[in-house]
Amino acid sequence: MMKLSNFRKLSTALVVVALMGFSGCGVNMNGDTSSKTSDSKSSSKSDDTDSAIPDNSKILDGIKVDKTLQSKLPDSVKKAGAVTIGSYIQAPPNNMYRKDGKTPAGDEVDLAKAIGKKLGIKMNYKDMSFDSLVTGLESGRVDMTMAAMNDTKARQEKVDFVDYYTAGITFLVRKGNPKNIKNPDTLCGTKIAVAVGSSQEAYAKERAKICETKGKPKLDLTVTQSDTQNQTQLQTGRVDVILHDLPSSVYIAKTAGHGKLFEMVDYPSINAGPLGIGFNKKDSQLRDCVQQALQSLMDDGTYMKLFKSWGLQGGAIKQATVNTGE
């Protein structure tokens, strides 16, 4: 994991920018027809019920197919014209559903669509629990994952990553911070909610051991598969804090209850590191194809335009690297 001290400046910039800013390629061999399809016209346009979602349709419509990259696609993808993305579509602003309850949206969804536009293929979504994403890749249920998943050495033993963003762990609390949570040391004696299989869960377990070792009050951990459930528990006082990545904390604090329910603790992101698009280790052609498409979007400015529209440019990177997480 990357040390906090190495990312203090970046994390502070992320908070400021985010708060200001919010006003060969494989195919799913299982033939799963339950996946939801995302395209620029159906899931980019904002309306009165989705006012927090920026309209990036013009940006996406302006992306031209890279014929050279398209020619490198495996025959199976050329025939299908699509790949299936496994995602946990309950983690705004990265991945969420529009008000219709069936159309994926989010900053990662926009980026995935941009990659698809560059490659000339559709990106079909499959909603999964976060802890099943890696096994979904290994089993071939999905072709790639985009779910704000940290690229770590432990996960690299099972899957490969193309890194596309930098983020860390933050604390989301009730408005007014009634438990006066200020930093990691003040987590002892609190009730914490996290998503199962996440880096936040691993961090919370580490903090629980530290509390025990130091003889401090017990850290009570709740692990669920639903961020909505975690928010409900926080709102009702059944938990004191939710551990989230920075984009999610900023978005939830601003939008939940019109910004009246939650706030983010003013503390630098913890264990900040790269988020990665996941791939089966056997799918190096898929991985390399997406990596090159992503790098092209970074080079021509499309990548930055998309993240700026979400107010998340503070964590943007310049190189689409492979397996750089620690």
Side-chain angles (χ1 to χ4, degrees):
M1 301 296 287
M2 298 184 183
K3 295 182 180 180
L4 170 62
S5 58
N6 293 337
F7 290 90
R8 187 173 297 273
K9 292 183 178 180
L10 169 61
S11 303
T12 301
L14 271 165
V15 174
V16 173
V17 171
L19 287 174
M20 291 177 65
F22 267 97
S23 355
C25 296
V27 63
N28 184 0
M29 301 306 293
N30 292 335
D32 195 324
T33 59
S34 64
S35 300
K36 296 179 174 63
T37 302
S38 167
D39 60 57
S40 64
K41 292 183 179 179
S42 64
S43 59
S44 286
K45 288 188 176 180
S46 298
D47 53 36
D48 292 340
T49 60
D50 293 312
S51 58
I53 300 174
D55 180 359
N56 284 324
S57 56
K58 289 184 178 180
I59 297 175
L60 294 168
D61 289 342
I63 299 173
K64 296 182 179 179
V65 177
D66 186 319
K67 297 295 185 180
T68 300
L69 284 180
Q70 189 179 42
S71 68
K72 297 179 181 180
L73 292 170
D75 290 339
S76 58
V77 172
K78 291 176 182 177
K79 182 178 180 179
V83 295
T84 298
I85 300 176
S87 186
Y88 176 58
I89 313 181
Q90 300 183 54
N94 304 305
N95 304 281
M96 55 186 160
Y97 286 119
R98 287 183 174 275
K99 292 296 184 180
D100 63 13
K102 61 183 180 181
T103 305
D107 61 274
E108 289 187 349
V109 176
D110 280 348
L111 184 60
K113 288 185 288 187
I115 292 171
K117 287 271 190 176
K118 182 67 69 172
L119 296 174
I121 57 176
K122 291 183 179 180
M123 301 302 219
N124 295 332
Y125 268 81
K126 186 174 182 63
D127 196 357
M128 307 169 68
S129 62
F130 189 88
D131 61 328
S132 68
L133 293 172
V134 171
T135 56
L137 280 174
E138 292 178 309
S139 66
R141 290 182 63 201
V142 296
D143 305 306
M144 52 190 281
T145 62
M146 286 189 76
M149 180 178 287
N150 290 98
D151 170 5
T152 66
K153 290 296 184 184
R155 287 180 176 140
Q156 289 170 22
E157 294 179 2
K158 297 181 177 181
V159 298
D160 285 338
F161 291 99
V162 171
D163 299 329
Y164 61 94
Y165 195 78
T166 298
I169 299 170
T170 57
F171 307 148
L172 187 69
V173 298
R174 290 192 299 281
K175 204 74 170 180
N177 195 3
K179 292 294 183 177
N180 198 29
I181 296 171
K182 297 180 178 179
N183 52 54
D185 291 335
T186 58
L187 293 178
C188 296
T190 64
K191 298 177 181 179
I192 296 178
V194 296
V196 63
S198 64
S199 297
Q200 289 85 354
E201 179 186 5
Y203 175 75
K205 289 180 177 179
E206 292 176 2
R207 295 307 308 181
K209 290 180 180 178
I210 292 174
C211 293
E212 182 179 357
T213 300
K214 292 185 177 182
K216 293 188 175 183
K218 180 182 177 181
L219 187 157
D220 188 356
L221 181 61
T222 296
V223 182
T224 77
Q225 293 187 355
S226 171
D227 186 62
T228 301
Q229 179 181 345
N230 289 345
Q231 290 182 47
T232 299
Q233 291 190 97
L234 180 59
Q235 183 180 352
T236 58
R238 281 177 283 176
V239 299
D240 304 312
V241 57
I242 300 175
L243 301 189
H244 257 309
D245 60 35
L246 186 138
S248 294
S249 287
V250 171
Y251 183 86
I252 295 168
K254 182 173 180 64
T255 60
H258 302 287
K260 297 179 180 179
L261 297 180
F262 310 125
E263 65 183 67
M264 189 173 64
V265 173
D266 184 14
Y267 188 80
S269 294
I270 298 166
N271 294 340
L275 303 183
I277 305 170
F279 303 90
N280 187 300
K281 280 191 169 292
K282 297 179 180 179
D283 291 338
S284 59
Q285 190 174 1
L286 163 64
R287 179 199 67 199
D288 294 345
C289 183
V290 170
Q291 184 272 334
Q292 291 175 55
L294 176 57
Q295 187 61 58
S296 178
L297 293 168
M298 290 177 172
D299 293 341
D300 68 20
T302 302
Y303 165 93
M304 184 61 76
K305 288 179 182 178
L306 291 175
F307 278 109
K308 280 185 176 180
S309 74
W310 287 91
L312 298 174
Q313 64 267 39
I317 59 177
K318 296 181 179 180
Q319 296 294 321
T321 52
V322 175
N323 293 336
T324 55
E326 298 181 4

